[in-house]
Amino acid sequence: MESIEDKIRDKLALHLDILEKEIVLLKKEAFLPNHQGTRGFVDILAKDSLGRFVIIELKISKAASREAIHEILKYIENIKETKSLKNDEIIALIVSTEWEELLIPFSSFVEKAPYSVVGYKLTVDTDLTPLSATIVEPLKLKNERLLSDRHSIALYRNKENLEKGVKSHIQCYTNKNIRDFVLLILKANEHFHAKAITQVSEFLKSMNSTGLLNNKNIKEMPRYDYMIYASIQIQENKKYWDIIKKHPSIYKEAKDAFINWTSEEETAYLHDYAIECNPRPFFEYTEIGYPSKLSHKLLEDEAWEIQYLIRNGRLNENELLTDDTIINELKGDTGTNKVKYIKEFSSKNKSSFKKVAQEINKCLSDNIYWLAGIKKAISEISDFSKRKDFNVKIYVYNPSNTLLSIYYNATRKDSNNEFVYFPVYQISVENESTIKMYYGGLSYEGGDFNLKTVIDRFYNNDVGNLILSRSYGYQENDHEICQSYGLSYSNYLCDNNGDKIKGYSPKASYYKFNGYKYIPCKKTDPFSGIKTFINNERDFCNDVINLFKHHDLGNGMYIF
């Protein structure tokens, strides 16, 4: 007995133009053999005007629709193997009368598939004759953990108000139907308030503005000893709009601005609008946060102390997810702040290579030299994984403000690493020994330059613009600025040739990446170039150090 699905298939085959123009039927229930695995019958096999094979899979019930992705994947691999096709020579059409169960797996499949996949919602009449087919837009899924890098900071004078703030944050997010969020609770360093008073006093003196505040008023400045540092999982744009729609004035403002947004900007701006909508949590003072602010200003410069982390929703339900991992993500260690990227994985986990490539691409989007070198390294390591098992450790530090790095290197000595503030990356490929080490640093090219010419060219002839760069740190064009005073971002490879030697051994082979391939070079380490620069360009370095020092009040505060 002919099934309902068979009847719809037969009628649809006669009217394929209901899906797309110029599709020509090749065969119904086309048999696709596979000498290496499962065989099968595709509902409809056709071709389009571009000369591509069109595989059409039809489903008419919720239960059957769940099988559509599995079926289409099987048929595509079958026809590729049988007819020796490339991915761009195939298009898959998933046609269903029911999309409730199918939409999410379909959306995920579309995002990851290397070939074209299109979905259609089919409408039929009582005789099962297809009437219309509308294209189904895949969702922009955000189910993978990705904490927003647009954070919020709430400050409190005492523990009682902190606890009130915690309850208020949880209630506000719940009211907005935001389930996945984290609250990082911090306490001010015991010396923070006294330092802040001293710095404000010195700042006002430097600006000849002591009349604005007398010593009594300065000492009575509010003392905020507790902080809630909050972030949420990035939501789907529809969810943000649902929150915003409840507030007509904000909704109108967002809709008016929407026409000027790029797709990338849309999520970021919608996030900000949604967070600003009422209800808002209780706070005594508030400001914005972002990964580098947490990592450098709050935890390093101001020495705020982490007390505990509150996790909600899926972030709390994942028993394998550690607090340290979440805190590192808030600090931007996954590359979201473009400054730091840290990752460890086994070569057995093949999906990690693709994930790393995506994350590095975001982290180093402004550093074209390192991005090219690391892409080459990841490609070589991925090929190497087909022959051996090993562990990969990646560390990227890309502060992208090398003039500031020169100053920090001179004034913030670290006993463990003399050059801790300079850009560096290391990608080690390890098993019993370090097999290979891909790395990057600054190479010294020399030249005739001075600090004034650098300021004139890149800071609009204004020292204040250079000092201001301290407040935001990261500079998108640092690779250009560096070249103006003899430094360039470079990529290297140290191959220990199978010897069980750790580090940069004299016995190892060394190579430098020229933009296309690695060519032999003399022994070097990530900081060889900057060492030579500091030794050879002492006058330039001293000018940089003295300039910043003249404007530095300490604890992250500068005068202009």
Side-chain angles (χ1 to χ4, degrees):
M1 183 176 177
E2 192 176 30
S3 69
I4 294 175
E5 188 172 299
D6 291 340
K7 292 178 181 179
I8 295 177
R9 179 202 64 212
D10 292 344
K11 292 185 178 185
L12 178 62
L14 298 174
H15 302 282
L16 290 179
D17 60 345
I18 205 172
L19 301 176
E20 292 187 15
K21 301 296 183 184
E22 300 183 23
I23 292 183
V24 178
L25 175 68
L26 294 178
K27 194 172 184 179
K28 294 184 298 183
E29 278 200 292
F31 177 66
L32 298 177
N34 188 332
H35 305 300
Q36 298 179 344
T38 307
R39 297 167 293 177
F41 291 86
V42 64
D43 287 332
I44 297 174
L45 182 63
K47 68 175 182 179
D48 67 5
S49 60
L50 299 177
R52 297 179 296 180
F53 281 98
V54 182
I55 293 176
I56 303 174
E57 180 65 14
L58 176 66
K59 297 297 177 186
I60 63 168
S61 67
K62 289 183 180 179
S65 67
R66 300 185 196 121
E67 303 168 2
I69 303 301
H70 171 74
E71 295 292 323
I72 204 77
L73 181 60
K74 178 177 71 174
Y75 298 147
I76 286 175
E77 295 307 316
N78 282 4
I79 198 170
K80 283 173 62 179
E81 195 272 336
T82 302
K83 299 183 181 296
S84 187
L85 298 175
K86 296 180 180 179
N87 286 327
D88 61 357
E89 296 173 339
I90 309 166
I91 180 171
L93 306 185
I94 300 176
V95 182
S96 179
T97 55
E98 295 286 346
W99 277 88
E100 185 178 344
E101 295 284 343
L102 181 55
L103 184 55
I104 289 179
F106 165 74
S107 301
S108 179
F109 183 55
V110 169
E111 184 178 353
K112 297 171 184 175
Y115 30 73
S116 296
V117 182
V118 182
Y120 286 94
K121 181 174 176 58
L122 187 67
T123 302
V124 298
D125 63 15
T126 54
D127 294 328
L128 304 181
T129 300
L131 297 176
S132 65
T134 56
I135 290 180
V136 175
E137 292 293 335
L139 300 173
K140 293 182 179 180
L141 297 176
K142 294 184 172 65
N143 49 13
E144 184 177 64
R145 184 177 73 255
L146 183 59
L147 293 173
S148 172
D149 59 3
R150 303 166 93 86
H151 307 155
S152 61
I153 295 172
L155 295 170
Y156 305 92
R157 298 173 191 242
N158 54 55
K159 205 165 186 177
E160 181 181 353
N161 285 346
L162 168 68
E163 292 172 355
K164 180 180 176 182
V166 168
K167 292 178 182 178
S168 176
H169 273 77
I170 294 172
Q171 187 61 52
C172 287
Y173 286 140
T174 301
N175 289 346
K176 292 179 180 180
N177 197 28
I178 295 174
R179 183 168 173 261
D180 305 314
F181 60 85
V182 293
L183 306 177
L184 183 63
I185 311 303
L186 301 105
K187 185 177 181 181
N189 179 281
E190 61 179 327
H191 304 296
F192 173 68
H193 189 64
K195 284 183 178 179
I197 290 175
T198 300
Q199 287 160 0
V200 170
S201 299
E202 291 180 359
F203 174 74
L204 292 174
K205 288 178 184 177
S206 71
M207 300 297 291
N208 295 318
S209 303
T210 50
L212 297 176
L213 288 172
N214 58 41
N215 288 335
K216 182 175 183 297
N217 289 336
I218 292 174
K219 290 180 180 179
E220 291 178 354
M221 286 172 52
R223 174 172 180 151
Y224 301 112
D225 284 330
Y226 296 95
M227 177 190 297
I228 296 177
Y229 194 94
S231 180
I232 70 171
Q233 165 81 12
I234 291 180
Q235 309 292 301
E236 295 176 10
N237 289 352
K238 181 182 181 301
K239 193 165 187 178
Y240 284 133
W241 279 117
D242 288 343
I243 295 171
I244 298 168
K245 283 177 182 176
K246 297 176 182 178
H247 304 271
S249 61
I250 296 178
Y251 178 66
K252 183 181 183 305
E253 180 182 333
K255 288 295 286 185
D256 291 342
F258 172 72
I259 58 174
N260 298 315
W261 296 339
T262 65
S263 57
E264 187 174 320
E265 290 173 335
E266 182 179 355
T267 298
Y269 287 138
L270 288 178
H271 172 92
D272 291 346
Y273 276 113
I275 294 299
E276 287 299 311
C277 286
N278 288 325
R280 296 191 66 195
F282 162 72
F283 55 80
E284 293 182 89
Y285 185 80
T286 186
E287 57 188 75
I288 62 170
Y290 42 88
S292 59
K293 185 172 186 176
L294 173 63
S295 178
H296 299 298
K297 184 176 187 293
L298 299 179
L299 296 180
E300 291 181 15
D301 291 346
E302 298 180 0
W304 283 78
E305 300 166 357
I306 295 174
Q307 302 300 295
Y308 55 92
L309 182 72
I310 297 173
R311 301 155 53 159
N312 201 74
R314 293 175 297 170
L315 299 170
N316 189 47
E317 293 162 7
N318 183 349
E319 65 273 19
L320 300 183
L321 180 63
T322 66
D323 286 355
D324 285 344
T325 297
I326 293 177
I327 292 170
N328 287 336
E329 290 178 5
L330 289 174
K331 290 161 60 179
D333 287 0
T334 54
T336 54
N337 66 349
K338 298 187 177 183
V339 172
K340 188 181 288 186
Y341 181 79
I342 301 173
K343 184 90 169 184
E344 290 189 29
F345 64 94
S346 167
S347 62
K348 297 177 182 178
N349 189 351
K350 303 302 181 185
S351 62
S352 291
F353 289 103
K354 183 177 180 180
K355 185 64 178 175
V356 166
Q358 292 172 342
E359 292 173 340
I360 285 292
N361 207 48
K362 292 180 180 179
C363 179
L364 296 178
S365 59
D366 299 319
N367 191 331
I368 56 176
Y369 301 105
W370 273 9
L371 182 58
I374 293 180
K375 278 185 174 180
K376 177 67 172 176
I378 295 300
S379 176
E380 289 192 0
I381 295 169
S382 179
D383 289 341
F384 190 46
S385 72
K386 298 171 185 176
R387 303 190 299 275
K388 285 190 176 182
D389 293 334
F390 49 83
N391 293 320
V392 181
K393 295 182 179 179
I394 303 176
Y395 175 83
V396 179
Y397 180 56
N398 179 45
S400 203
N401 192 332
T402 305
L403 290 175
L404 193 59
S405 295
I406 292 170
Y407 173 62
Y408 282 166
N409 179 70
T411 58
R412 301 182 177 188
K413 292 296 184 181
D414 187 304
S415 59
N416 297 318
N417 185 349
E418 182 182 358
F419 301 99
V420 67
Y421 293 103
F422 285 105
V424 64
Y425 79 77
Q426 292 181 319
I427 305 175
S428 62
V429 180
E430 304 176 349
N431 48 23
E432 304 84 35
S433 64
T434 301
I435 303 170
K436 291 183 178 183
M437 179 80 79
Y438 296 85
Y439 59 100
L442 294 169
S443 60
Y444 174 57
E445 311 296 340
D448 184 19
F449 50 83
N450 58 64
L451 183 57
K452 184 180 184 307
T453 60
V454 175
I455 294 173
D456 288 349
R457 179 179 173 187
F458 294 99
Y459 298 94
N460 198 26
N461 194 26
D462 188 343
V463 170
N465 289 333
L466 172 57
I467 300 303
L468 185 62
S469 74
R470 165 61 185 87
S471 62
Y472 50 82
Y474 185 90
Q475 293 185 290
E476 294 178 357
N477 63 336
D478 189 60
H479 60 280
E480 294 180 53
I481 301 174
C482 279
Q483 290 176 350
S484 72
Y485 52 89
L487 292 174
S488 61
Y489 284 85
S490 300
N491 306 274
Y492 300 92
L493 166 62
C494 170
D495 190 339
N496 284 332
N497 303 311
D499 290 340
K500 295 183 178 180
I501 304 172
K502 295 286 185 181
Y504 302 94
S505 165
K507 297 181 180 180
S509 299
Y510 290 85
Y511 305 86
K512 186 174 183 179
F513 185 60
N514 67 359
Y516 304 97
K517 63 180 181 179
Y518 288 94
I519 58 176
C521 69
K522 65 180 181 180
K523 177 185 179 298
T524 184
D525 66 56
F527 301 110
S528 294
I530 198 63
K531 290 175 188 174
T532 306
F533 173 82
I534 291 173
N535 288 331
N536 290 7
E537 306 294 345
R538 292 186 182 277
D539 289 344
F540 180 85
C541 291
N542 286 335
D543 287 345
V544 172
I545 294 164
N546 291 334
L547 178 64
F548 276 106
K549 187 178 289 185
H550 177 72
H551 295 270
D552 190 354
L553 290 176
N555 207 32
M557 293 185 66
Y558 281 75
I559 57 174
F560 299 92

